Amino acid sequence: MVRQGTSGKSGSKPKGTAGRQAGRPPLKAVYRRRRLFVGLVLLLIVSVALGGFAAVSGAMRASEQASSTDRNGPDGQAAQATPSVTPSIPATPTCDQGLVTVSASTDKGAYAAGENPLLTLKVTNGGKVACEVNLGTSQMEYTVTSGSDRIFSSVDCQAESGDLVKTLEPGQSETANFPWQRNRTVPGCGAVSAKPGAGGAYYMFVARLGTKSSSKAVFQLN
């Protein structure tokens, strides 16, 4: 028996559902999920980019700070170049010619008749540094006087003279002897017939070396 009002066909699909598979979500929900996924990806890319830029900026700031620390001192103040100090070299001591002295002496204080005095010139380096001294005959003079009377000079009749430079160590002395013949001389070595007086007369001997002269050495002739 057939009911009225029915088409006779069962299982017909409702309207508005044609072309859509059963069990699939609506298209609007799918689009929303896709847009959300794309937005998350873009946000992640921007975050990575910003994070990388921040890291690079931080590294650059750290490099600048390190460079500034190199240029400045540890307390942040500008480091000043330390001038190089050249060690001073002590000056080599030089000879003080003022400490080179000349002295005069005789081998005796009194001489018998016919006995010739031996006149000695002595030069001494009284300094603490070695000195070069010209000890040549060109620098020496032996002079004998009696009061204001010039009796004898070794240069009056000196035939030859020369230089002799020697090094005198501190405290070292050199001597040069001259035997006086008890004769008189005059400059130019002219002839002199007079003889020095005897009988206990006193004479004074002075030695000279260059510009240095000794004090007087007194002796007696009999």
Side-chain angles (χ1 to χ4, degrees), residues 15-34:
K15 293 181 180 181
T17 61
R20 186 175 64 187
Q21 297 180 358
R24 294 187 63 180
L27 293 177
K28 292 182 178 180
V30 173
Y31 293 153
R32 283 197 301 270
R33 285 196 295 271
R34 289 180 179 177

Side-chain angles (χ1 to χ4, degrees), residues 20-196:
R20 186 175 64 187
Q21 297 180 358
R24 294 187 63 180
L27 293 177
K28 292 182 178 180
V30 173
Y31 293 153
R32 283 197 301 270
R33 285 196 295 271
R34 289 180 179 177
R35 287 195 296 269
L36 179 61
F37 176 76
V38 172
L40 290 175
V41 171
L42 291 176
L43 180 61
L44 180 61
I45 293 173
V46 171
S47 298
V48 171
L50 292 177
F53 176 76
V56 172
S57 299
M60 291 178 65
R61 286 195 298 271
S63 176
E64 290 178 356
Q65 291 176 357
S67 176
S68 175
T69 303
D70 292 339
R71 292 192 301 267
N72 301 336
D75 56 354
Q77 296 180 354
Q80 297 180 354
T82 302
S84 59
V85 178
T86 303
S88 58
I89 301 175
T92 303
T94 58
C95 166
D96 185 355
Q97 291 289 343
L99 298 177
V100 177
T101 59
V102 176
S103 61
S105 63
T106 58
D107 59 335
K108 290 184 179 181
Y111 298 89
E115 188 177 18
N116 294 332
L118 184 66
L119 310 180
T120 300
L121 179 155
K122 183 178 180 180
V123 56
T124 303
N125 179 9
K128 297 182 179 180
V129 179
C131 290
E132 288 189 349
V133 181
N134 189 347
L135 301 177
T137 56
S138 63
Q139 305 298 308
M140 295 180 180
E141 183 180 14
Y142 300 78
T143 303
V144 177
T145 60
S146 178
S148 60
D149 187 9
R150 181 181 181 272
I151 305 296
F152 171 84
S153 172
S154 60
V155 300
D156 288 343
C157 298
Q158 184 172 330
E160 296 179 357
S161 64
D163 295 328
L164 178 61
V165 178
K166 296 189 67 174
T167 299
L168 296 183
E169 298 297 330
Q172 183 181 356
S173 298
E174 289 285 343
T175 59
N177 298 321
F178 182 87
W180 181 41
Q181 304 299 318
R182 282 192 168 190
N183 61 315
R184 278 183 174 268
T185 61
V186 293
C189 198
V192 180
S193 58
K195 295 289 185 180

